[in-house]
Amino acid sequence: MNLTPIWGSLTVFIICPLLGGLPLIDWITYTLTGRQLRKLGTGNISVSAAFYHGGKLAGVCAVVSEAAKGIIAVLLARIFFSTGSVWEIIAIISVVLGRYWMGKSAGTTNAVWGIVAHDAIAAGIVWLISLISFTIIRDRLLGKYGALVLLVVIIGLRNPHQPEYAIATFALASLLAWIYQNIPDDLDLASSSGQANTSNLFRFFQGDKNIITLDSKLNPNQVGSKAANLALLKRQGYPIADGWILRPGDDSKTLVAKLKPSAVSPLIVRSSAIGEDSPTASAAGQYHSILDVTSREQLQSAIIDCQTSYLQNNAIEYRRHNRQADNSMAILIQKQIEGIYSGVAFSRDPVDHLTDAVAIEALPGRATKIVSGKYTPQRYRVVIPEASLDSEHQDNKPITVFQENVRDDANGVVIPQEIIESVALLAREMEDLFEGIPQDIEWTYDGEQIWLLQVRPITTLQPLWTRRIAAEVIPGKIRPLTWSINQPLTCGVWGKLFTIVLGARAKDLNFEETATLHFASAYFNVTLLGTIFRRMGLPPESLEFLTRGAKFSKPPLMSTIKNLPGLWRLAQREWNLVKHFERDRQKIFAPILSELEAQAVDELSPREIIDRIKTILELLDKATYYNILAPLSLAIRQAIFKVEETELDQSQTPEIKAASSLADVASETRKLLSTEEITLDSSASLFAHIAENNEGASIIERFNLWLDQYGYLSEVATDIAVPRWRDKPSIPRQMFTRFFFDAHGARQAQSSAKTSAQSWQAKLVQTRLNLKGTVGEIYNKLLANLRWSFLALEQQWLNSNLINQPGDIFLLKLPEIILITENKEPDFIKQLPQLIEQRTEKWCREKSLTQVPRLVYGKPEASVWTTPIILDPQQKMQGIGTSTGQIEGVVRVISSLQQATQIDKQTIIVVPYTDAGWSPILARAGGLISEVGGRLSHGAIVAREYNIPAVMDLANATQIFQDGQKVRINGQTGIVEILP
């Protein structure tokens, strides 16, 4: 057997990439100059970088070393294959791949000299035609990509009967073209900033495209965000005036000689500093803009004036205040648009953070009149309604324009309303285009169209916070103690998961800012999560897909490839999740939980209670990891294997098991007592009759055993300030009573287990669903024990008059409680009554808010959120369909379990959220509408088990709907319609 081809293949696919990845250029440049290329300029370890940063000698040595790699690759292929075979081109491809993946460069020199060794005639023809063309045309990009096309053509023509040569060469050219798109070009660096003995060479190869226009794809790190944003918009077809960019360090003479400003075609010279118009700092008004440039002499002077403004004291102080590095400034030169009306627009009001209107300021004439601060503009507030669900009625809700001031100096000029409306829509388009970040735009109308002059983020409205998802993880109003525990746990685990994928790219991210409280309600940081997802190459809806089963668009293929190492690490964790959890459950969770439950917490000293709390928190840190990763794993598997919820057995989840077990006890009780014997539908009356029955003791014992088993659950299990069923037995007694009087609801709760055989796909998903239930049980038990520990400490503080009211401890934060217990800050303890009084007042004020904004921008004032809800009786509303089916019924609004009376199969209950405690109610209802939640939330799971339609994520539903209203809900589409 001839093994030569096998050894040849191994050499080409293993040795050649390693050869290409050798960082010879970096070693050579460091040896000759002491400079490390990876820390300079673009960070590329390339031949051009060696010339630029190391000088002529380093550059020549770099050429020799990389040329040798290409030639050696071809010679290695010839050892195993015939001379001139297609394997030589494949070897060159392998070298280029290794050069890119390990050496962080394009590998152009490797490819060029490899082709010379493979086919010197073809290489000579390509080189001659390319050099002549570039000398004449002076277009660097055209020269670079044209040479690749020419290479494929020439190789194909020289091997007309062997198409594999053209195919392999096409693969090589495509690879190089793709690499060119994904790494910065050292020829984009300013030629004047490189080594003096290579600057002329750089200027030649930069070509006339050294003059950059707004038609190019620009890097904000090289030319500033102002120019980069305008270039992006221009390429997408938005009306942007023609413009040219002078990069930092470039000589302006070539650009000035090219442009021809005149009185008929004036130019404007503007700054585009690195860091200007960024999400964190706008630098508004810090640098000069020069208008009405009508000659080349004025243009040269304006460029110098604009560059000089970067060094003015006010600009330096601004950068220092905003912690911006002193980088450099590009100059943006544009054709000047003479506007009839001009102004600025904010896609969200930068003053009133809680309004949903577009704020516009406008004046007749140029936009500079407004930003100068010397004129009072006309102010408008524009309300843009969401499009109707019914496409036939989309025009029923027009855009509403409110003029907030009338200027006395407007000389009778009225800006047409259609222009204001168009500007408002344009502002919202810019917000959508720039990933939902509120935008500040400058615009002008020249009599024919609206021109965009500038687009930048509104820095005061950063970051963006969303109630979505957070409202499901931690629903309802949250006290300080709960948040001081949940926030670091949740943010810490998300940080760990993101770091697994991102690796070193996560170093500059502050995961502690993942979530915060506004209006005593939890919010997630959209801005931070957007940054994380972009780095991971994921679409912005990723978090909602992972946590709630929302629709998910496929990420770009190359982003997935780039993150493969991190995704592989995460996939390994997912694959071993059950094994790792079982290990921790047996060795850590189960033993310590048993010790905690056996411990008499009331007999512990305050310091011993704090030690117990710290132990629980250590367990919670690990349990939170599983409590987040298990639902993510479930969602991912369910999406991959396309398993419907109806194929899964939800009966082993804690909330379903609790309801089913309680329904069993209620059914046994119904055999002993007739519902007709009890005149009052109340738990007190029922339990009194049970106590009088001869066999009542056994029923009470079974109920108490059930309470011991499931007493760790509550209406909101994630909030330790909310009483557990063991703390407040009246709640499970009411649940028991409802099952007793409602035999149908009890049977529904008892018959939730799936009996049909599952497919292999469903079984793979079922393992994660079972894991989610087991993890949730341990997590909720730990939280319950944590609550009982704080209650024991609170009772001791009440006895010593340290605090006055039960529940006061939940108004403190965990570090404050530890500080008080350790008695390290006597002054803080003296101020404790005043602190609790202030927080009690704030808590009562924020608790009374029946509705809070879905999105919060920046840091809103502490003013009360009071935006009224205007309800259209014919309105259709869109939520998330989470349990299929359609039903018409009567609304019953329930804000707490205590209100859950008079419910039957014609009742559609409307709730703020659902948790384990709501299961008995859902067993009796005909349908469910919830303000928050998704396909994986407690309410959705229970609704599917009980086969009732459910719609989640309908904002402010408890305020919109009223008892007695007739509605139609569709659990498949998520549409809720109010009927006459």
Side-chain angles (χ1 to χ4, degrees), residues 291-302:
L291 289 80
D292 300 316
V293 176
T294 58
S295 68
R296 286 173 175 166
E297 292 74 17
Q298 286 183 334
L299 178 58
Q300 184 65 59
S301 176

Side-chain angles (χ1 to χ4, degrees), residues 100-113:
Y100 175 69
W101 288 112
M102 292 180 279
K104 304 303 179 186
S105 189
T108 304
T109 307
N110 308 131
V112 168
W113 286 95

Side-chain angles (χ1 to χ4, degrees), residues 131 134 138-140 187 200-207:
L131 183 61
F134 180 72
R138 306 292 295 138
D139 187 320
R140 192 172 84 236
L187 288 173
N200 291 333
L201 180 67
F202 251 73
R203 287 194 184 98
F204 174 78
F205 282 108
Q206 284 176 331

